[in-house]
């Protein structure tokens, strides 16, 4: 129960903030000696975040026909990370990246990168300026999120800011890009459960979905309101401090 509650909160809070959910989940799991082999719990956590972002964009998703070009751009932008992610998993390279040194350095380096991208002049909005070419470029930025510590949210927001999108619009682009990414993670996990004949869903898994959904949705709403008034500097500062602590421990 304690493991489910802690990991659900960590997943919900960190998935959409530019601070790397995978890094926090790895660090928290190692600190508390959680069992990181619970595939059904991992699926539950990501499914909760997926349901939260779908609920947040429910009007846009229900009105698909008027927004179909936007969603085609999101799919285009998501292809690179899915392709690279597939090969990383098949070649069993992911585990080589899941160590304190990689997480620490990436947390700092891409935090600084976020800072410089956030200094760009603001002039673009998602409704008028999010073109297919921009979607493709941001999609290749997102490939870097396969490295723990980079942050999928952080690198996609950085990419959107690099192309001069407003902070709130950059966050919305990142949110939309999370739909295919979280869907792919959930479907991949379900496929593994089917192949291993392990489809048992417990009440703890349902609790994980509910808590992850609640904290994800609260975080999404918070980030949108936060970026309407403030810059991303506080997240940069947090990443640098966290990265230094991780590297101190690693070395």
């Amino acid at each position: 129960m304690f493991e489910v509650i802690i990991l659900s909160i960590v997943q919900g809070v960190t998935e959409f903030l530019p601070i790397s959910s995978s890094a926090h989940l790895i660090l928290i799991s190692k600190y508390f000696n959680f069992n990181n082999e619970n595939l059904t719990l991992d699926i539950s956590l990501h499914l909760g975040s997926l349901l939260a972002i779908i609920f947040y964009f429910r009007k846009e998703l229900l009105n698909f026909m008027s927004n179909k070009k936007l969603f085609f751009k999101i799919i285009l932008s998501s292809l690179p990370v899915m392709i690279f992610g597939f090969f990383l998993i098949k070649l069993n390279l992911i585990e080589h990246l899941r160590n304190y040194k990689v997480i620490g350095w990436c947390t700092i380096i891409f935090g600084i990168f976020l800072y410089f991208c956030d200094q760009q002049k603001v002039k673009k909005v998602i409704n008028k300026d999010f073109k297919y070419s921009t979607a493709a470029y941001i999609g290749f930025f997102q490939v870097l999120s396969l490295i723990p510590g980079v942050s999928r949210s952080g690198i996609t927001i950085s990419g959107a800011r690099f192309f001069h999108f407003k902070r709130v619009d950059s966050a919305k682009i990142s949110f939309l890009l999370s739909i295919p990414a979280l869907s792919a993670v959930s479907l991949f996990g379900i496929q593994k459960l089917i192949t291993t004949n392990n489809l048992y869903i417990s009440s703890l898994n349902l609790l994980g979905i509910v808590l992850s959904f609640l904290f994800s949705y609260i975080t999404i709403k918070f980030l949108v309101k936060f970026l309407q008034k403030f810059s991303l500097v506080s997240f940069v500062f947090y990443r640098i401090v966290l990265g230094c602590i991780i590297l101190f421990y690693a070395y």
Side-chain angles (χ1 to χ4, degrees), residues 55-195:
F55 183 72
Y56 182 80
F57 282 107
R58 61 192 182 279
K59 293 181 180 178
E60 289 85 348
L61 291 168
L62 288 172
N63 196 13
F64 174 78
M65 291 309 295
S66 62
N67 294 294
K68 61 182 179 180
K69 288 185 178 180
L70 173 61
F71 291 115
F72 288 148
K73 293 170 188 174
I74 295 302
I75 293 172
L76 171 66
S77 193
S78 300
L79 289 177
V81 72
M82 291 183 181
I83 294 170
F84 278 88
F86 173 80
F87 284 108
L88 278 178
I89 292 171
K90 285 297 181 182
L91 297 173
N92 200 28
L93 296 175
I94 288 289
E95 290 303 317
H96 295 290
L97 300 173
R98 296 165 70 92
N99 65 75
Y100 287 123
K101 293 179 181 178
V102 170
I103 294 172
W105 282 115
C106 287
T107 299
I108 294 172
I109 291 170
F110 288 96
I112 295 171
F113 182 67
L114 176 65
Y115 172 79
F116 283 107
C117 290
D118 195 43
Q119 305 309 303
Q120 300 293 327
K121 292 182 180 179
V122 177
K123 57 184 177 182
K124 292 184 179 179
V125 294
I126 189 172
N127 292 335
K128 295 192 299 182
D129 303 302
F130 189 55
K131 305 183 184 302
Y132 281 101
S133 58
T134 308
Y137 290 138
I138 295 176
F140 282 102
F141 272 84
Q142 189 176 206
V143 171
L144 294 169
S145 68
L146 293 169
I147 306 172
V150 171
S151 170
R152 188 208 58 78
S153 175
I155 199 63
T156 49
I157 290 175
S158 296
R161 293 291 292 144
F162 181 82
F163 289 106
H164 308 289
F165 282 87
K166 294 181 178 179
R167 291 189 181 98
V168 172
D169 288 84
S170 296
K172 288 182 178 179
I173 290 171
S174 178
F175 294 157
L176 287 166
L177 283 173
S178 73
I179 296 176
L182 290 170
S183 298
V185 170
S186 299
L187 289 173
F188 176 75
I190 291 170
Q191 183 265 333
K192 286 188 69 176
L193 289 179
I194 292 173
T195 56

Side-chain angles (χ1 to χ4, degrees), residues 31-72:
Y31 181 80
F32 288 106
N33 291 317
F34 288 156
N35 179 12
N36 226 12
E37 301 300 319
N38 192 336
L39 181 59
T40 55
L41 177 58
D42 185 60
I43 295 170
S44 299
L45 299 179
H46 285 90
L47 186 58
S49 292
L50 175 62
L51 292 174
I53 198 64
I54 288 175
F55 183 72
Y56 182 80
F57 282 107
R58 61 192 182 279
K59 293 181 180 178
E60 289 85 348
L61 291 168
L62 288 172
N63 196 13
F64 174 78
M65 291 309 295
S66 62
N67 294 294
K68 61 182 179 180
K69 288 185 178 180
L70 173 61
F71 291 115
F72 288 148

